[in-house]
C-alpha cells in the first residue's frame, strides 16, 4: 500500500498541477527584467558594488517593482537571502508596533554576511503604511543603516513622508510599453506552446493596461480555459465588455446616433455586465480613441466621470448609462435642433 | 589552539568592524564634526548655541530654557547642528529611541499569546519612564561630583533629544505626551530638545509633525531651520567629495545635484554617493564620461516636489501643438526634429461645425502618456496648475476656460472617490491644454510652488496663537474666560494687543465707553451682539493709524476657508 502511495507522490509530475505562470516566469536576475532599462542598469551597478542605499521604487502595479527588489536582494546576498531579508507587505501587520519591534528586532539581529553586504528590509506597498508608522520608521532607518538597508516599493511616492524620501534614492518606474509586454507574452507562449492569434494578444495587452502581472495571468486563464487565445476568449475570461462594441457605441455617440448607441448599450447590458464594468471600459476606450478630436474627448471624459461617480453612489442602473449615451449624443448633434 | 582560535575570531571581528566602517553610508561617514563643516547658516547655529549656553548657565534665565523645538524641512541640518554643538560645548545627548527592546518584547513578539494585557507596556508608558529617568540623570552626578570623570566641566551637562516621537495622532496620547513634557520641564533641570521635520509638501501628514508644537504653556523656544542655501550646499558637497576621494564626480554633476534636491543636504549626499558609484563603474566600462552620468542623475535625485513637477507642468502649460513654429533659439537640427515629430502625429479628426471654435491642432503631448509616466497624484497637479497658469494665458477667455475646467473637476467627484479619481488627471491635463492659447507666448514664465501650503501653515500658526492667547486670558481671569470666543480674540482683542505692542501702555480716558461694554452680563443675546458691533467700529475710527489690523483679521478668515478646503 504504502509503496504505491509513495510512488504516486514520486510521480507527482504526472498530476497536472501548474504553478501560476506569474511565479514560474518571474525574473530571477535583474537582466531578465523587462522595461525601464536605465533604472535597471543602475540597480545592476549596485548589485555589483554591494553598497545598496535605501531605495524607494515607485510606479504602477505590475511593472516589476517588487521583482526587481527581489532580484537585487538575491544577487547581493545569495545563499544568505533567507536570513538576511525581512519582507513585509500590506497584508502583514505593519502598524507602529511592528515597525518598532519587528523591524528593529531584525535590524539588531546578527547575520554573517560577506563583506560589503547588508541585511535588507523590503517593505512592499509602503504607501499603505500609516503616517505614524512611517514616522517611526524614519529614525530606525538611520540608526541601523550600518547593517540594514531598506527597500520600499510603492505606487505613489508622494504617499511616503518627506523625511523618508530624504533618506532614500527614489527610482521611478514608468509604465511598460505595449511592445515590452508583448515580447514577454510571446516568450511565454513559446515556452508553454500556447496557441494564439494576434487578436488574442492585442486583447491581452488592452485589458492589462501595462500591467505585466495581469497580462500573464489572463494569458494563463484563457489558455487553460479555452485552449486557444483569441480576442473573444480573452474578454470572456477577463469578464470585460468587448471594446469593439464600446467603440461602435462611442462612434455612434460622436455622430449623434442615439439609436445605434443605445442598441450597443443594451447588447452589453443583456450580456450581464455591470454598470461599473461598462463605464470603466468606456473610459479606457475613449481616452485613446483617435476618432475623437480633443474637445470631444475632453467633454466625453467629463460626462463619463460624472456618470461613474453616480454609479459609485449606488445607482448602477441602465437608466444612468442611457442618460450618459443621451448626453454624449447631444454633443454630436447640431444645437439648432434643440431650439424651439 | 584555543588561543589561535581566539586570535582568529578577533581578527575576524576586526575585519568585520573595519568593513562596517567602510560600508557606512556617506551621510553617516562624513557627518559634520565641527561648525566649519556644518552647512547651516551661522546665525542659526549661534541661536541654538546661545540657547544652550543659557540653558546650562546658572542664571535665572535658565529656568526659561527648558524646551527647544527645532523645526524645518528634512535634511536642513537640525540634528547635525545639535550633534556638532554637543561636541563643541561638551554636553551629552540623551536620545529617546522608541521601544528599546526589553526582553519582554522579544518574547511577546515571538509568541503573542504570552504577552497578556498585564505584561504589555505601551509606548507611552515607556516614554514617561524614560523622561522620568532621564530627568534624574544630572542629579545623580550632582550628588556624587567625585565620580564625574571630565575635569574641565565639573557638572557634565546633558540634553534630552526627542526625535523619534511617540505616535501622537490620538488626542488622549497627545495630552499624555504634553503633560509628560510639561511635568519634566517643571521638575527637571535638563533641557529637552525636540526635533520636528516637516512632513511633506502636501501638508496632509502635517498633523503628525505639527502636533507637538501645540503646547498649552509657552515656555518653549522654537527655532526654524530653512532649506540649506545653494552656496553652503555646494561647498559642503565639495568637502565631502574631497574627503571621499570621489573626484570622478565633475563640477557640473555637482551643480546638478545641488539644483535638484531643493536644499536637502541629506538627499544631496545620498545622490553624490550614488553618482560616485555609478561614475566609477561607468569609467571602468569605458563609457562616455559625462553623458550617462548626467542622464542617470536626473531621474535619480529629483525629489517629487521639484523637477518632476516642473517638467510635467512645462509640458502641459507650454501647450505645444503640431505645426507650432520652433522657438527662436532653436537650432536647425532641433527644428527639423520637431518637424519629424509633427509628421508622425495624426491630424485631429474634424470637429462638428457647431464646435468650430473649439478645434485645435493635434497636441504634441498625450495626456495618457503623461499620466502613466508621472507618478504624481492629480490633486497636487491641479494645485500647481492653479498656481502657475496665469502667465501662460493670453486673454481673459483663456484664463476663464482654464479655471472653469479646474473647478469643474474639483466640484465633480472630489469627495466621492476614495483617494484617486481616475478621471481627474486626464481632465486636468486635457482641459488645461485645450484652454491655453497655442502657441503660448514665451515671456519668461517661471514656475512657483503652490502658496496653499504656506498659507495653510500660517493659518495654522495663527490659530495656535489664538488658542495660546485664550489660554493666557483664562489664566489671568478664569471667570471671564468663556466670554472670549476664538472669533472675539482674533477680531477684537487682536487690535488691543497690537496697540499694546506699540508701546501704548496708557490708553486715553473714556475708552471704557466702548471697550468695557462687552463684559456686561445679563443682557439678552441680541443686544450683546449689537453692542459688539458698535464696540468694534469706534476702535478703528478712534485709531485710524492702526488700520493695519486688517491683515490680522484676514489671517483668521483665511484659516476658516482653509479648514474647509482640507
Amino acid at each position: 500500500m504504502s509503496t504505491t502511495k509513495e510512488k504516486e507522490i514520486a510521480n507527482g509530475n504526472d498530476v497536472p498541477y501548474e504553478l501560476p505562470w506569474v511565479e514560474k516566469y518571474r525574473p530571477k536576475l535583474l537582466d531578465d527584467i523587462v522595461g525601464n532599462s536605465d533604472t535597471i542598469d543602475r540597480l545592476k551597478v549596485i548589485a555589483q558594488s554591494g553598497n545598496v542605499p535605501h531605495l524607494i521604487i515607485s510606479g504602477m502595479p505590475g511593472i516589476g517593482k517588487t521583482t526587481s527588489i527581489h532580484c537585487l536582494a538575491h544577487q547581493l546576498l545569495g545563499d544568505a537571502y533567507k536570513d538576511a531579508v525581512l519582507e513585509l507587505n500590506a497584508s502583514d501587520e505593519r502598524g507602529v508596533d511592528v515597525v518598532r519591534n519587528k523591524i528593529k528586532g531584525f535590524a539588531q539581529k546578527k547575520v554573517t554576511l560577506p563583506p560589503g553586504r547588508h541585511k535588507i528590509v523590503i517593505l512592499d506597498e509602503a504607501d499603505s503604511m500609516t503616517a505614524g508608522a512611517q514616522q517611526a520608521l524614519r529614525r530606525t532607518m538611520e540608526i541601523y543603516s550600518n547593517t540594514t538597508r531598506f527597500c520600499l516599493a510603492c505606487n505613489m511616492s508622494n504617499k511616503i513622508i518627506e523625511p523618508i524620501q530624504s533618506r532614500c534614492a527614489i527610482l521611478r518606474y514608468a509604465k511598460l510599453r505595449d511592445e515590452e509586454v508583448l515580447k514577454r507574452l510571446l516568450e511565454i507562449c513559446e515556452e508553454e506552446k500556447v496557441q494564439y492569434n494576434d487578436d488574442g494578444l492585442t486583447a491581452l495587452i488592452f485589458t492589462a493596461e501595462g500591467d505585466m502581472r495581469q497580462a500573464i495571468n489572463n494569458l494563463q486563464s484563457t489558455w487553460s480555459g479555452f485552449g486557444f487565445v483569441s480576442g473573444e476568449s480573452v474578454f470572456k475570461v477577463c469578464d470585460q465588455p468587448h471594446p469593439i462594441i464600446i467603440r461602435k457605441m462611442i462612434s455612434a455617440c460622436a455622430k449623434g446616433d442615439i439609436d445605434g448607441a443605445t442598441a450597443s448599450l443594451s447588447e452589453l447590458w443583456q450580456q450581464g455586465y455591470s454598470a461599473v464594468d461598462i463605464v470603466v471600459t468606456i473610459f479606457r476606450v475613449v481616452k485613446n480613441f483617435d476618432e475623437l478630436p480633443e474637445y470631444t474627448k475632453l467633454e466625453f471624459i467629463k460626462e463619463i466621470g460624472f456618470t461613474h461617480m453616480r454609479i459609485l453612489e449606488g445607482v448602477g442602473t441602465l437608466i444612468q448609462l442611457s442618460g450618459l449615451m443621451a448626453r454624449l449624443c447631444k454633443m454630436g448633434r447640431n444645437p439648432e435642433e434643440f431650439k424651439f | 589552539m584555543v588561543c589561535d582560535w581566539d586570535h582568529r575570531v578577533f581578527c575576524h571581528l576586526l575585519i568585520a568592524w573595519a568593513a562596517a566602517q567602510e560600508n557606512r553610508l556617506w551621510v553617516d561617514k562624513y557627518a559634520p564634526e565641527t561648525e566649519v563643516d556644518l552647512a547651516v547658516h551661522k546665525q542659526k547655529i549661534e541661536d541654538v548655541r546661545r540657547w544652550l549656553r543659557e540653558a546650562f548657565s546658572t542664571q535665572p534665565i535658565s529656568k526659561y530654557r527648558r524646551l527647544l523645538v527645532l523645526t524645518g524641512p528634512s535634511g536642513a541640518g537640525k540634528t547635525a547642528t545639535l550633534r556638532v554643538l554637543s561636541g563643541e560645548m561638551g554636553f551629552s545627548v540623551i536620545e529617546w529611541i522608541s521601544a528599546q527592546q526589553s526582553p519582554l518584547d522579544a518574547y511577546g513578539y515571538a509568541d503573542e499569546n504570552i504577552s497578556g494585557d498585564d505584561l504589555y507596556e505601551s509606548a507611552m508608558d515607556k516614554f514617561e519612564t524614560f523622561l522620568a529617568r532621564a530627568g534624574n540623570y544630572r542629579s545623580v552626578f550632582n550628588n556624587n561630583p567625585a565620580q564625574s570623570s571630565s575635569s574641565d566641566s565639573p557638572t557634565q551637562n546633558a540634553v534630552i533629544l526627542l526625535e523619534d516621537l511617540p505616535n501622537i495622532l490620538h488626542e488622549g496620547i497627545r495630552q499624555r505626551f504634553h503633560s509628560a513634557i510639561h511635568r519634566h520641564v517643571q521638575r527637571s533641570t535638563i533641557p529637552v530638545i525636540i526635533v520636528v521635520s516637516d512632513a511633506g509638501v502636501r501638508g496632509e501628514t502635517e498633523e503628525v509633525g505639527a502636533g507637538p508644537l501645540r503646547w498649552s504653556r509657552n515656555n518653549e523656544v522654537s527655532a526654524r531651520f530653512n532649506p540649506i542655501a545653494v552656496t553652503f550646499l555646494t561647498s559642503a558637497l565639495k568637502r565631502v567629495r574631497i574627503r571621499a576621494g570621489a573626484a570622478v564626480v565633475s563640477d557640473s554633476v555637482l551643480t546638478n545635484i545641488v539644483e535638484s534636491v531643493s536644499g536637502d543636504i541629506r538627499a544631496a549626499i545620498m545622490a553624490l554617493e550614488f553618482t560616485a558609484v555609478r561614475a566609477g563603474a561607468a569609467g571602468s566600462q569605458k563609457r562616455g564620461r559625462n553623458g550617462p552620468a548626467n542622464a542617470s542623475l536626473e531621474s535619480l535625485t529629483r525629489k517629487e516636489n521639484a523637477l518632476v513637477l516642473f517638467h510635467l507642468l512645462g509640458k502641459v502649460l507650454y501647450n505645444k501643438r503640431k505645426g507650432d513654429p520652433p522657438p527662436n533659439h532653436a537650432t536647425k537640427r532641433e527644428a527639423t526634429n520637431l518637424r519629424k515629430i509633427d509628421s508622425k502625429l495624426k491630424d485631429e479628426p474634424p470637429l462638428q461645425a457647431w464646435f468650430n471654435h473649439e478645434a485645435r491642432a493635434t497636441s504634441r503631448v498625450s495626456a495618457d502618456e503623461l499620466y502613466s509616466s508621472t507618478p504624481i497624484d492629480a490633486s497636487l497637479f491641479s494645485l500647481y496648475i492653479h498656481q502657475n497658469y496665469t502667465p501662460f494665458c493670453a486673454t481673459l477667455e483663456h484664463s476663464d476656460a482654464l479655471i472653469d475646467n479646474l473647478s469643474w473637476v474639483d466640484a465633480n467627484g472630489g469627495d466621492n472617490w476614495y483617494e484617486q479619481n481616475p478621471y481627474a488627471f486626464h481632465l486636468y491635463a486635457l482641459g488645461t491644454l485645450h484652454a491655453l492659447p497655442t502657441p503660448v507666448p514665451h515671456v519668461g514664465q517661471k514656475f512657483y510652488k503652490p502658496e496653499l501650503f504656506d498659507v495653510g501653515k500660517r493659518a495654522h500658526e495663527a490659530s495656535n496663537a489664538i488658542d495660546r492667547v485664550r489660554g493666557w486670558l483664562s489664566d489671568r481671569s478664569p471667570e471671564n474666560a468663556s466670554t472670549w470666543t476664538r472669533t472675539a480674540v482674533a477680531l477684537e482683542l487682536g487690535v488691543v494687543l497690537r496697540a499694546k505692542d506699540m508701546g501704548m501702555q496708557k490708553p486715553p480716558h473714556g475708552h471704557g465707553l466702548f471697550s468695557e461694554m462687552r463684559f456686561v452680563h445679563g443682557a439678552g443675546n441680541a443686544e450683546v451682539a449689537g453692542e459688539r458691533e458698535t464696540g468694534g467700529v469706534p476702535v478703528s475710527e478712534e485709531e485710524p493709524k492702526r488700520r493695519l489690523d486688517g491683515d490680522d483679521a484676514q489671517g483668521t478668515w483665511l484659516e476658516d476657508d482653509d479648514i474647509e478646503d482640507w
Side-chain angles (χ1 to χ4, degrees), chain B residues 31-266:
Chain B
E33 279 152 17
T34 61
E35 194 190 326
V36 187
D37 290 339
L38 210 55
V40 183
H41 195 279
K42 296 286 169 285
Q43 186 58 46
K44 199 58 75 181
I45 304 176
E46 188 51 41
D47 284 351
V48 179
R49 184 185 289 127
R50 181 154 30 86
W51 188 91
L52 284 166
R53 207 176 285 138
E54 285 168 357
F56 295 139
S57 72
T58 47
Q59 315 281 311
I61 195 171
S62 70
K63 238 191 347 216
Y64 303 98
R65 298 285 180 264
R66 284 285 165 268
L67 187 58
L68 175 66
V69 182
L70 303 181
T71 60
S74 32
K78 301 180 290 294
T79 316
T81 306
L82 197 65
R83 299 263 174 217
V84 165
L85 287 178
S86 138
E88 175 194 305
M89 299 170 65
F91 59 87
S92 56
V93 176
I94 311 169
E95 186 179 356
W96 154 250
I97 295 171
S98 63
Q100 278 144 323
Q101 283 238 319
S102 63
L104 198 67
D105 284 332
Y107 288 118
Y109 237 89
D111 183 354
E112 300 200 358
N113 296 331
I114 297 180
S115 67
D117 289 324
D118 45 334
L119 286 180
Y120 181 73
E121 192 186 21
S122 77
M124 205 52 220
D125 290 337
K126 287 180 193 162
F127 178 73
E128 282 172 351
T129 324
F130 164 82
L131 258 193
R133 273 193 214 136
N136 289 329
Y137 175 78
R138 177 136 94 174
S139 51
V140 171
F141 278 96
N142 279 349
N143 291 343
N144 310 301
Q147 285 183 11
S148 176
S149 50
S150 53
S151 50
D152 47 343
S153 59
T155 50
Q156 169 79 32
N157 289 318
V159 297
I160 296 173
L161 171 65
L162 300 181
E163 202 174 5
D164 193 5
L165 295 174
N167 188 1
I168 48 171
L169 286 169
H170 181 257
E171 184 58 35
I173 301 289
R174 187 191 317 217
Q175 267 164 18
R176 270 182 79 184
F177 177 74
H178 282 192
S179 61
I181 297 278
H182 183 55
R183 239 187 350 260
H184 172 86
V185 166
Q186 283 190 327
R187 294 202 192 129
S188 169
T189 52
I190 301 189
V192 176
I193 297 180
I194 300 181
V195 173
V196 186
S197 299
D198 298 352
V201 270
R202 302 295 318 269
E204 64 196 348
T205 38
E206 193 183 16
E207 274 307 299
V208 190
L213 292 178
R214 295 169 46 184
W215 309 108
S216 44
R217 303 288 181 274
N218 48 359
N219 49 0
E220 100 277 12
V221 174
S222 74
R224 165 108 201 140
F225 280 63
N226 294 325
I228 291 175
V230 173
T231 43
F232 288 142
L233 196 52
T234 314
S235 54
L237 280 190
K238 282 189 177 149
R239 275 198 299 275
V240 171
R241 184 174 65 178
I242 294 167
R243 287 174 66 186
V248 269
V249 183
S250 69
D251 273 3
S252 68
V253 174
L254 206 71
T255 328
N256 207 338
I257 294 180
V258 170
E259 275 168 10
S260 59
V261 294
S262 46
D264 181 341
I265 192 166
R266 191 187 302 116

Side-chain angles (χ1 to χ4, degrees), chain A residues 46 100 104 116 138-139 145-146 149 156 158 162 166-167 254 288 290 294 296 308-309 331 333, chain B residues 23-24 28 95 98 163 199 264 266 270 274 304 321 346 348 352 354 377 413 420 423 434:
Chain A
I46 297 176
R100 292 239 172 88
K104 208 160 277 188
R138 191 171 78 91
R139 197 74 184 106
S145 66
N146 281 355
R149 300 290 156 84
M156 284 282 175
N158 59 6
E162 191 124 316
S166 157
R167 287 166 173 79
N288 287 320
D290 44 17
E294 183 182 280
T296 321
H308 194 164
M309 194 176 80
M331 273 182 260
R333 302 205 74 95
Chain B
N23 284 324
R24 285 184 306 168
D28 299 328
E95 186 179 356
S98 63
E163 202 174 5
D264 181 341
R266 191 187 302 116
M270 287 295 263
F274 214 49
E304 82 146 358
R321 287 170 188 275
K346 274 193 215 163
E348 285 271 285
Q352 289 93 336
W354 49 92
D377 66 336
Q420 265 179 326
Y423 301 92
H434 190 75

Side-chain angles (χ1 to χ4, degrees), chain A residues 20-29 32 64 66-68 70-71 184 213 216:
Chain A
W21 290 354
V22 187
E23 293 306 325
K24 194 169 168 188
Y25 295 101
R26 189 186 283 281
K28 307 270 181 322
L29 296 172
D32 298 340
T66 316
T67 305
S68 43
H70 280 151
C71 291
R184 190 75 184 151
R213 177 168 28 218
I216 295 176

